[in-house]
Amino acid sequence: QQTLPSQPPGFRQPQQPRVPPSVSEEPGGRGRQRGPQSVPQGQNGRRPEGLQISAGFQELSLADRGGRRRDFHDTGVDTRQAIEHVQESKTGSSGIMVKLTTNYFRLMSRPQWALYQYHVSYSPEMEARRLRSALLFQHEELIGKTHAFDGSILFLPKNLGNKVTEVFSRTRNGEDVKITITLTNELPPTSPTCLQFYNIIFRRLLKMLNLQQIGRNYYNPSDPINIPNHRLMVWPGFTTSILQYEESIMLCTDVSYKVLRSETVLDFMYSLYYQVEEQRFRDACAKELIGLIVLTKYNNRTYRVDDIDWDANPQCTFRKADGSEISYVDYYKRQYNQEITDLNQPVLISQSKRKRGNMILGPVVLIPELCFLTGLTEKMRNDFNMMKDLSSHTRLPPEQRKCEIGRLIDYIRKDDNVQKELRDWGLSFDSNLLSFSGRVIPGEKILQSGSVFDYNPQYADWSKETRGAPLICAKPLDNWLLIYTRRNYDIANTLLQNLFKVTPSMGIRMNKATMIEVEDRTEAYLRVLQQSITSDTNIAVCVLSSARKDKYDAIKKYLCTDCPIPSQCVLARTLSKPQSAMSVATKIALQMNCKMGGELWSVEIPLKQVMVVGIDCYHDTLSGKHSIAGFVANLNQTMTRWFSRCVVQGHGQELVDGLKACLQTALRDWFKWNKYLPSRIIVYRDGVGDGQLHTLVNYEVPQFLDCLKSVGKDYNPRLTVVVVKKRVNTRFFAQSSGALKNPPPGTVVDVAVTRPEWYDFFIVSQAVRNGCVAPTHYNVIYDTSSLKPDHLQRLTYKLCHLYYNWSGVIRVPAPCQYAHKLAFLVGQSIHKEPNLLLSDRLYYL
Amino acid sequence: MDKNFQEEQYTGIVKFIPPLYEQRYQFIKDLVGKYKPKKVADLGCADCTLLWMLKFCSCIEVLAGLDVCASVMKEKMHRLSPLPGDYLQPAERSLTVTLHHGSVAHKDPCMLGFDLVTCIELIEHLEQSELKKFPEVVFGFMAPSIVVISTPNSEFNPLLPGVMLFRHPDHKFEWNRAQFQSWALETARRYDYSVEFTGVGHPPAGMENVGFCTQIGVFVRKYPQTSESAQSGKPTEAAYKTVFKAVYPSLKDEKYLQNAVVSEVIFTAQIIKRSLMDRLMLEHEEYNDDPTEKKCKFQPSFNCLSEDLGKLVVEKSMEPFVNGNVVYIPLTTIFSFPKVNRLCGTFEKLHKLIAGKVTLSSDGSAVMFNTEHENEEN
């Protein structure tokens, strides 16, 4: 580091030892998929009796290393039992059968297998958990070598013979202790308690295989992929979970890649220091670092950076558990032999969620020099080349992915210690991936202004087929603005000419735009917009010379709130390639048309009087202060027009209150359009995090019902609420002529890998060019519609055809994607609720 | 065995801060700090706490543990595995940690050649027959430079509440100072070691005459052993079973060194390239308002490094330059970066390590980058 001055001025701080400050209650959010934070966290959903095992094991199974966390698998939320029409069967029927293989292995146990659960008590009472174990295992000849013990509950693969067994041990002090071992349960393999037990044992096995736990998954550090350009290291590994699925208990495992950076937080701060001006340095650090997960050098723990304390440094002291004061420098030197070389660096603050006993531990102070960065920053995600580099390593085609998944089972089968442990417990894993049949439901006909188009089901894309065909509803461009900088005059002119060429066949009437040249400054754009927009302006098109986010944000903010008209921003670079100019012009014409309230295509929707709602959330990555939910509902029968609103969650507000208000306005607008109210409402709820299902079931659904009740006494529509999940570990492989391929779009799975306590199914709706396609999981948590599962599946798939920014089938129902787009725009650029005058148009596309 | 909570129940008369077991471990750590041994073995390593503490000592390259109870070792042995951080920034030193299952009454060649052997609260757990063989195995066979033996001082026991006979039911004996010292002196004499006595756990005021709670003997071999005499006549048959082995990533291993060098070279070169491009872009924009053509018009041989990077460039031949779509960064420039320099040592070594891993110019003197796809967007 000699090339750098020894001390960036930003680090120079008065050295005053101090206690870490308390940090605000709401830590900044960076997780892109966190669920509705605002919904009150119900402490205990509805757990079946069998799940009530002692705290020690919950710790082991759920968090493994201290601290109780939420149940990421949403076990114990039994929603199917309340849905009458799927008690017998939740499977659909249409489509043709397809042979599928999936990333699940069956867990098998010996015939008549049982797990024996004992309660262990001590007289006199012994407090320390380690002492309790030591005393108990003085009787190994009785208990055997195979056991799992958390200090009070003992699991054994064998019966001790008596209901109550008493033994005596002696402590080091020569004190005699009576240990009473009482059989409390004889658990069959499918007991929920056993599931927790399986996961505990499985984690043991992964450790035996020398896999490193990081976060929830396990990684193999011995054979990393290096990406030196960005100081990245990628570790291959596995996500695993053992759960009760439709017919059997299975291990679901998928390959996972952990992106680590061989760069400490301090290294990163130094390189940032040379990229930004000094006065912006601290802000820049906060912006880049807060919310990131760091990994400490000296132990294998990960922490979230919640704050940076610039007033503290490594020479500050803290109080150890024994009451003595020690500085961070001395502590790390003594404890881990870690030298801290930069004594003026600030410290990182992490709000610990860990608990010791019932005591919540305070914030954790971390030294930047001793923390490695993990994961990708926003900047890296936006780096196209880097992401390409990364995906070339991590995006595996089906055949290869299957091999990688199979490796885990290979490791397990080949390791003697692991085999022994499994044998001792009487368990084993099936050596083959689970295979079964799914169904491929037929593709839809694309209806566009009298014409009917078929598309190639393999590609799930109809951009070629429908090119140049008239649109269902074309909005005229009578009076519109085209704004550009001097440098981009030619580009703007070419765009105009190309639009004149492509719009007639679509049926879009177009006048010449009002061409306005501006200086390349944000204020110049805004001034021109203020001066030129009149009440009959259809749309404002801005050609931007660079991808400067602030300019884009300012334009969008102005045109979505203060002066609500549709707007279209386009980068000059996008328009500058002659070979793609026409297809770009076509896309822009379509997009502009949607923003002005036009309609492109539709599919046949047999269900009448149905309102479909899509909800998705955006969590602010930087300020982390609020979440935004997008809410989109159709306004017409053909589902070509949509009502869009969003909720910006204020302080102390619940997201669900806002969603209620959205639903009310949507119904009002529906009534205006249709002169009646919908008789069915189907809500597709995206943006729900792992482990938040019970909150949805217990809080959000009742609120929706409440809201419907408030509409009118006689109004009693049928409500269906479907939780949509894109991030699942389930993968399907289609067997076709000996090779494994991605299943074709339209593949529906509602057997084998679904959960018996849920009314759930998977649909693979999109086609991917490389890698493995990710199925979308749909979980119907509330349903009074009496719709047959087959009909709901078909409707869901139809809805995946209706996203106007993509002439093809997408991963989720269109309203979810619209809601996502809206929430993203508001969260990233506008930061407050857009003007409601725009709510009947897809202005955010 | 369960030495960690031995002191937990002490209340009243004597309470050690920090706890006695920690004081014993700290004693060993201090000893390691003083003598800087490379190979250290802990006999009776139990749950591997001492080994875990010692793995952070940067002088140690080989760590071994031995215990008769495999299950107690296995319970926490995974904390001896390398951490993610050890892989992310491999250390200069190499480190191998091995755990063996076996008895100190048996000889195994894997225990030869150690600098320090520690036996913390071990001997009092040995049966008479094992204790008899112990000196021959440790001092005669293993014959390390230093042996540390700690054991309870029975004279202290009356101060410990609740201790009737021994401090732990598994103890076969507990010696007073005279007993321990005579055994130690006799052993030292027989195997040519010198021994000094000390201890941890000071007695309370007024009771100084009982001595330390834990008595410790530090044995130092009088004569350096020649490698021949060390190996002659030693059995080669293994008596222990290896239950755990971890090899830490180290820059001594060519594979990790190469990775580190290649990463550093590419990263360094990227920084130089970026600052070069930024500078060129700025200069370029001043003259030309049209960004679409900026790529092709660079003149070669600009000295465009930012100031701090520029300091390094002393010779003209070390300047990076752009030719068409390709940026050339001379290896000499990269070699002058302290981190690269420290890793490789010599320019030849740098050449050798990056061969085939980094794209070089035809004469092999510079790292080449294509700027073509720099600004592409999806």
Side-chain angles (χ1 to χ4, degrees):
Chain A
Q1 300 266 341
Q2 282 159 26
T3 54
L4 312 174
S6 62
Q7 196 187 89
F11 288 141
R12 216 173 289 132
Q13 284 300 324
Q15 294 169 13
Q16 41 170 353
R18 55 173 278 183
V19 190
S22 63
V23 186
S24 76
E25 288 291 286
E26 284 174 89
R30 191 176 273 267
R32 292 170 304 155
Q33 273 289 326
R34 283 180 313 143
Q37 297 175 297
S38 54
V39 186
Q41 298 287 323
Q43 279 310 305
N44 46 351
R46 286 179 298 149
R47 283 179 173 280
E49 276 304 290
L51 279 181
Q52 303 286 352
I53 64 172
S54 74
F57 273 119
Q58 288 202 358
E59 240 175 61
L60 269 173
S61 55
L62 302 179
D64 201 40
R65 293 175 303 176
R68 247 163 289 160
R69 289 190 209 161
R70 62 187 178 199
D71 173 3
F72 292 114
H73 303 298
D74 294 304
T75 51
V77 185
D78 189 349
T79 42
R80 183 178 173 185
Q81 62 181 7
I83 306 172
E84 235 164 80
H85 66 285
V86 290
Q87 292 306 304
E88 287 289 299
S89 158
K90 64 174 186 187
T91 54
S93 52
S94 49
I96 51 163
M97 297 306 239
V98 58
K99 227 119 172 71
L100 297 175
T101 298
T102 183
N103 55 336
Y104 289 68
F105 297 92
R106 250 193 231 103
L107 175 66
M108 300 186 292
S109 48
R110 271 199 294 263
Q112 270 95 55
W113 186 93
L115 183 68
Y116 297 90
Q117 184 182 347
Y118 294 89
H119 182 261
V120 183
S121 62
Y122 297 79
S123 166
E125 190 56 50
M126 294 287 132
E127 284 294 324
R129 187 157 133 186
R130 298 174 70 176
L131 182 60
R132 291 166 74 105
S133 324
L135 292 171
L136 179 65
F137 296 126
Q138 287 180 15
H139 303 279
E140 202 164 66
E141 75 294 343
L142 170 74
I143 290 159
K145 282 189 186 316
T146 312
H147 48 68
F149 182 58
D150 76 339
S152 76
I153 289 183
L154 173 70
F155 288 121
L156 292 181
K158 62 170 189 182
N159 194 333
L160 292 180
N162 301 320
K163 174 101 173 91
V164 179
T165 310
E166 285 183 1
V167 290
F168 289 88
S169 291
R170 177 170 291 186
T171 69
R172 292 192 169 192
N173 296 353
E175 191 180 4
D176 286 317
V177 179
K178 185 172 86 176
I179 305 175
T180 312
I181 309 167
T182 315
L183 180 67
T184 52
N185 242 329
E186 189 180 324
L187 303 162
T190 52
S191 146
T193 308
C194 277
L195 282 175
Q196 302 229 16
F197 161 79
Y198 298 142
N199 281 292
I200 294 165
I201 296 301
F202 196 67
R203 280 170 187 273
R204 259 193 209 174
L205 302 183
L206 292 169
K207 242 178 219 166
M208 284 183 180
L209 291 169
N210 272 323
L211 295 175
Q212 287 266 6
Q213 184 179 8
I214 303 179
R216 272 193 263 170
N217 303 328
Y218 283 81
Y219 298 92
N220 179 5
S222 56
D223 203 11
I225 303 157
N226 282 301
I227 304 179
N229 285 8
H230 301 270
R231 287 194 168 168
L232 290 188
M233 200 180 257
V234 182
W235 285 7
F238 304 97
T239 74
T240 63
S241 62
I242 298 173
L243 285 175
Q244 170 76 51
Y245 294 97
E246 214 62 62
E247 283 114 25
S248 45
I249 293 168
M250 292 192 283
L251 163 71
C252 170
T253 179
D254 192 21
V255 289
S256 163
Y257 292 93
K258 187 75 192 170
V259 177
L260 296 164
R261 293 155 68 181
S262 48
E263 174 175 49
T264 65
V265 175
L266 186 66
D267 291 340
F268 182 79
M269 283 176 157
Y270 267 100
S271 60
L272 198 63
Y273 183 74
Y274 289 100
Q275 289 169 29
V276 301
E277 301 124 63
E278 186 170 339
Q279 64 270 27
R280 283 187 50 234
F281 175 58
R282 290 186 180 191
D283 282 346
C285 278
K287 197 173 157 185
E288 292 283 340
L289 291 171
I290 290 179
L292 281 190
I293 303 295
V294 297
L295 181 75
T296 45
K297 250 184 191 179
Y298 41 86
N299 60 14
N300 189 13
R301 290 232 173 106
T302 51
Y303 298 89
R304 209 187 104 103
V305 178
D306 290 315
D307 200 5
I308 303 170
D309 185 356
W310 295 96
D311 298 329
N313 66 52
Q315 296 180 77
C316 297
T317 60
F318 70 102
R319 199 177 289 280
K320 287 209 296 182
D322 66 7
S324 61
E325 285 263 333
I326 188 168
S327 73
Y328 295 114
V329 189
D330 293 342
Y331 174 77
Y332 286 110
K333 173 74 193 152
R334 189 167 316 160
Q335 191 76 8
Y336 300 106
N337 209 49
Q338 297 285 334
E339 300 277 359
I340 298 174
T341 52
D342 187 328
L343 296 178
N344 295 305
Q345 58 191 310
V347 301
L348 309 175
I349 309 288
S350 178
Q351 290 294 18
S352 176
K353 290 193 188 102
R354 306 166 78 82
K355 281 183 187 172
R356 189 171 291 156
N358 285 325
M359 196 179 70
I360 300 168
L361 300 177
V364 174
V365 172
L366 301 165
I367 308 297
E369 193 176 345
L370 303 181
C371 295
F372 286 109
L373 291 161
T374 69
L376 301 172
T377 59
E378 216 55 40
K379 219 187 223 163
M380 292 176 175
R381 275 184 221 285
N382 294 333
D383 183 335
F384 176 71
N385 287 314
M386 197 207 92
M387 292 309 279
K388 206 169 73 181
D389 243 23
L390 197 60
S391 68
S392 72
H393 295 293
T394 59
R395 210 172 272 171
L396 304 176
E399 192 72 46
Q400 217 178 323
R401 194 170 192 118
K402 185 210 150 198
C403 286
E404 290 295 318
I405 291 165
R407 262 211 228 189
L408 181 63
I409 289 296
D410 274 358
Y411 286 155
I412 290 173
R413 294 169 73 82
K414 286 191 184 131
D415 191 295
D416 293 341
N417 292 328
V418 170
Q419 279 303 310
K420 185 173 180 308
E421 178 86 19
L422 279 171
R423 239 188 348 262
D424 289 347
W425 285 107
L427 299 170
S428 65
F429 287 99
D430 198 338
S431 54
N432 294 314
L433 291 164
L434 183 75
S435 291
F436 57 90
S437 292
R439 290 173 289 117
V440 183
I441 52 180
E444 295 294 324
K445 297 207 177 314
I446 304 301
L447 315 173
Q448 196 166 316
S449 192
S451 316
V452 178
F453 300 94
D454 281 312
Y455 61 89
N456 182 340
Q458 205 186 326
Y459 303 123
D461 180 299
W462 49 86
S463 49
K464 285 212 178 67
E465 285 80 354
T466 56
R467 182 169 297 158
L471 308 176
I472 292 179
C473 170
K475 294 283 175 184
L477 285 160
D478 292 328
N479 185 351
W480 59 294
L481 309 176
L482 180 55
I483 303 169
Y484 52 89
T485 58
R486 183 163 64 89
R487 185 192 288 178
N488 294 324
Y489 172 74
D490 289 339
I491 288 175
N493 228 350
T494 315
L495 173 64
L496 187 66
Q497 298 315 313
N498 289 338
L499 285 174
F500 271 119
K501 283 182 206 151
V502 299
T503 47
S505 66
M506 299 177 187
I508 299 174
R509 192 175 75 229
M510 185 173 119
N511 289 335
K512 188 174 182 304
T514 311
M515 304 278 284
I516 307 170
E517 189 176 297
V518 292
E519 257 183 85
D520 196 5
R521 285 185 299 114
T522 306
E523 312 82 68
Y525 274 96
L526 290 181
R527 202 176 323 111
V528 162
L529 291 171
Q530 269 161 14
Q531 288 162 355
S532 321
I533 291 173
T534 60
S535 58
D536 54 359
T537 304
N538 305 120
I539 191 166
V541 181
C542 300
V543 179
L544 301 178
S545 50
S546 66
R548 286 277 300 270
K549 190 174 175 296
D550 49 352
K551 197 177 294 161
Y552 175 84
D553 290 355
I555 294 170
K556 283 291 172 189
K557 188 167 187 175
Y558 179 66
L559 295 180
C560 286
T561 57
D562 304 331
C563 173
I565 67 153
S567 57
Q568 177 74 49
C569 291
V570 56
L571 276 178
R573 193 164 57 234
T574 317
L575 299 170
S576 63
K577 291 173 192 137
Q579 66 274 22
S580 60
M582 291 309 271
S583 71
V584 169
T586 307
K587 277 194 183 129
I588 292 175
L590 292 174
Q591 207 175 344
M592 283 161 60
N593 192 53
C594 295
K595 287 178 173 179
M596 295 185 294
E599 299 157 41
L600 305 189
W601 68 78
S602 68
V603 296
E604 198 196 337
I605 310 267
L607 213 53
K608 304 298 172 214
Q609 301 187 12
V610 57
M611 179 196 253
V612 173
V613 175
I615 298 173
D616 198 1
C617 295
Y618 170 88
H619 302 292
D620 200 326
T621 56
L622 302 177
S623 62
K625 288 293 179 276
H626 45 236
S627 297
I628 286 146
F631 179 103
V632 172
N634 62 311
L635 288 164
N636 58 358
Q637 164 65 31
T638 51
M639 305 204 182
T640 54
R641 290 298 299 270
W642 300 89
F643 164 84
S644 309
R645 236 192 115 166
C646 77
V647 185
V648 180
Q649 177 207 345
H651 283 287
Q653 246 183 334
E654 305 292 357
L655 214 47
V656 70
D657 294 337
L659 292 177
K660 261 169 90 174
C662 288
L663 182 56
Q664 268 159 354
T665 4
L667 285 167
R668 205 180 305 137
D669 280 27
W670 168 287
F671 188 79
K672 270 186 226 152
W673 276 61
N674 302 291
K675 307 291 173 256
Y676 59 84
L677 283 167
S679 61
R680 293 172 192 277
I681 297 171
I682 303 176
V683 178
Y684 287 94
R685 174 70 159 90
D686 202 344
V688 180
D690 292 342
Q692 294 183 314
L693 196 61
H694 70 270
T695 343
L696 227 71
V697 173
N698 295 337
Y699 295 91
E700 210 164 290
V701 174
Q703 296 280 339
F704 285 144
L705 289 169
D706 235 33
C707 172
L708 295 179
K709 229 180 256 166
S710 70
V711 171
K713 246 201 301 284
D714 307 324
Y715 184 53
N716 194 15
R718 295 158 184 263
L719 177 69
T720 307
V721 180
V722 187
V723 172
V724 181
K725 215 166 198 183
K726 299 184 288 289
R727 287 187 160 193
V728 290
N729 293 327
T730 307
R731 293 291 179 273
F732 299 123
F733 311 110
Q735 298 162 12
S736 85
S737 57
L740 288 186
K741 294 210 170 101
N742 275 319
T747 301
V748 175
V749 173
D750 49 17
V751 293
V753 294
T754 50
R755 305 260 285 261
E757 75 274 24
W758 291 348
Y759 169 16
D760 62 335
F761 53 90
F762 292 89
I763 300 182
V764 175
S765 46
Q766 79 279 29
V768 295
R769 255 178 256 140
N770 41 32
C772 279
V773 69
T776 304
H777 183 248
Y778 296 92
N779 185 7
V780 187
I781 57 168
Y782 184 86
D783 189 14
T784 52
S785 73
S786 321
L787 269 184
K788 281 187 190 162
D790 197 58
H791 292 167
L792 187 64
Q793 292 168 0
R794 295 287 302 266
L795 176 70
T796 304
Y797 186 49
K798 281 169 187 288
L799 289 168
C800 297
H801 287 69
L802 291 175
Y803 182 63
Y804 284 162
N805 234 4
W806 182 257
S807 339
V809 195
I810 61 164
R811 271 179 89 171
V812 291
C816 287
Q817 190 63 23
Y818 287 135
H820 166 80
K821 258 292 209 184
L822 172 60
F824 188 82
L825 175 75
V826 173
Q828 282 267 311
S829 306
I830 303 177
H831 306 297
K832 63 178 184 178
E833 197 183 344
N835 197 306
L836 281 183
L837 287 172
L838 292 168
S839 68
D840 63 346
R841 278 164 273 180
L842 301 170
Y843 60 95
Y844 45 82
L845 267 193
Chain B
M1 282 214 290
D2 305 311
K3 30 188 169 187
N4 286 359
F5 46 83
Q6 178 184 325
E7 274 73 41
E8 267 172 31
Q9 299 106 52
Y10 292 161
T11 46
I13 313 177
V14 180
K15 190 175 162 90
F16 296 107
I17 298 172
L20 199 55
Y21 75 94
E22 264 184 34
Q23 292 188 35
R24 285 194 290 260
Y25 292 157
Q26 191 57 48
F27 178 85
I28 301 294
K29 273 180 84 176
D30 293 343
L31 210 68
V32 166
K34 188 170 158 199
Y35 292 102
K36 305 255 181 274
K38 280 190 174 168
K39 296 180 76 177
V40 180
D42 184 27
L43 310 185
C45 62
D47 67 356
C48 309
T49 305
L50 180 60
L51 291 172
W52 175 77
M53 290 170 82
L54 291 178
K55 82 167 192 162
F56 293 106
C57 296
S58 50
C59 58
I60 297 175
E61 294 179 1
V62 174
L63 260 182
L66 174 70
D67 206 289
V68 280
C69 180
S71 62
V72 71
M73 274 196 290
K74 281 180 180 175
E75 201 167 311
K76 293 197 152 184
M77 67 183 178
H78 292 288
R79 61 181 168 161
L80 297 175
S81 299
L83 297 171
D86 294 317
Y87 289 96
L88 290 171
Q89 273 181 7
E92 185 59 51
R93 66 142 171 184
S94 61
L95 173 63
T96 306
V97 185
T98 322
L99 294 179
H100 304 284
H101 176 209
S103 158
V104 287
H106 298 132
K107 299 172 181 176
D108 186 304
C110 71
M111 281 294 159
L112 291 174
F114 279 81
D115 302 309
L116 170 65
V117 167
T118 59
C119 311
I120 303 303
E121 306 296 271
L122 167 75
I123 55 169
E124 66 274 14
H125 290 274
L126 301 179
E127 298 284 357
Q128 201 55 44
S129 58
E130 294 168 319
L131 183 67
K132 251 176 101 179
K133 291 180 191 155
F134 175 82
E136 171 52 23
V137 174
V138 175
F139 294 91
F141 173 72
M142 298 181 190
S145 314
I146 304 172
V147 178
V148 181
I149 296 177
S150 85
T151 191
N153 167 17
S154 62
E155 292 164 75
F156 200 97
N157 284 0
L159 300 178
L160 301 173
V163 173
M164 312 304 271
L165 179 61
F166 297 139
R167 297 182 193 176
H168 187 273
D170 187 54
H171 286 181
K172 308 300 185 297
F173 59 88
E174 282 177 7
W175 280 337
N176 61 29
R177 280 171 290 173
Q179 287 170 309
F180 176 56
Q181 289 179 12
S182 83
W183 177 86
L185 287 166
E186 168 56 21
T187 304
R189 189 194 56 76
R190 193 176 331 152
Y191 296 100
D192 268 340
Y193 278 74
S194 64
V195 59
E196 277 178 33
F197 298 101
T198 172
V200 292
H202 284 279
M207 307 291 285
E208 285 82 359
N209 59 330
V210 301
F212 290 110
C213 187
T214 298
Q215 46 184 338
I216 299 175
V218 180
F219 300 73
V220 179
R221 205 180 49 222
K222 283 182 181 164
Y223 311 105
Q225 205 168 26
T226 60
S227 57
E228 272 163 56
S229 68
Q231 299 308 322
S232 63
K234 307 262 165 153
T236 47
E237 218 169 286
Y240 305 155
K241 195 173 162 244
T242 305
V243 293
F244 175 87
K245 184 171 180 174
V247 179
Y248 279 60
S250 153
L251 295 175
K252 294 229 166 63
D253 181 337
E254 187 90 346
K255 177 179 133 193
Y256 289 106
L257 178 63
Q258 180 169 47
N259 264 338
V261 169
V262 168
S263 298
E264 207 50 44
V265 165
I266 294 183
F267 189 76
T268 307
Q270 288 277 357
I271 293 176
I272 299 177
K273 183 190 100 177
R274 213 171 303 140
S275 70
L276 179 69
M277 298 301 285
D278 286 352
R279 177 69 67 92
L280 285 176
M281 203 87 85
L282 268 179
E283 287 182 6
H284 186 73
E285 284 196 357
E286 282 166 23
Y287 298 111
N288 192 333
D289 207 18
D290 188 351
T292 53
E293 290 173 43
K294 64 191 165 210
K295 275 178 208 155
C296 28
K297 288 194 179 168
F298 295 144
Q299 295 303 304
S301 284
F302 276 115
N303 179 7
C304 292
L305 287 174
S306 71
E307 224 171 316
D308 22 285
L309 297 171
K311 278 180 205 152
L312 287 161
V313 185
V314 281
E315 291 169 55
K316 206 71 179 130
S317 67
M318 287 170 71
E319 284 171 21
F321 61 94
V322 179
N323 190 358
N325 283 329
V326 182
V327 181
Y328 294 86
I329 299 150
L331 279 185
T332 42
T333 313
I334 290 171
F335 186 63
S336 66
F337 267 64
K339 217 164 174 184
V340 179
N341 199 298
R342 203 167 51 238
L343 281 172
C344 304
T346 64
F347 192 68
E348 288 64 42
K349 183 95 183 177
L350 169 68
H351 242 286
K352 200 179 138 233
L353 286 170
I354 63 172
K357 299 274 176 184
V358 179
T359 319
L360 296 180
S361 59
S362 52
D363 64 349
S365 69
V367 176
M368 264 170 44
F369 278 113
N370 209 316
T371 60
E372 194 74 299
H373 306 290
E374 187 62 2
N375 289 314
E376 207 165 289
E377 218 186 337
N378 51 343

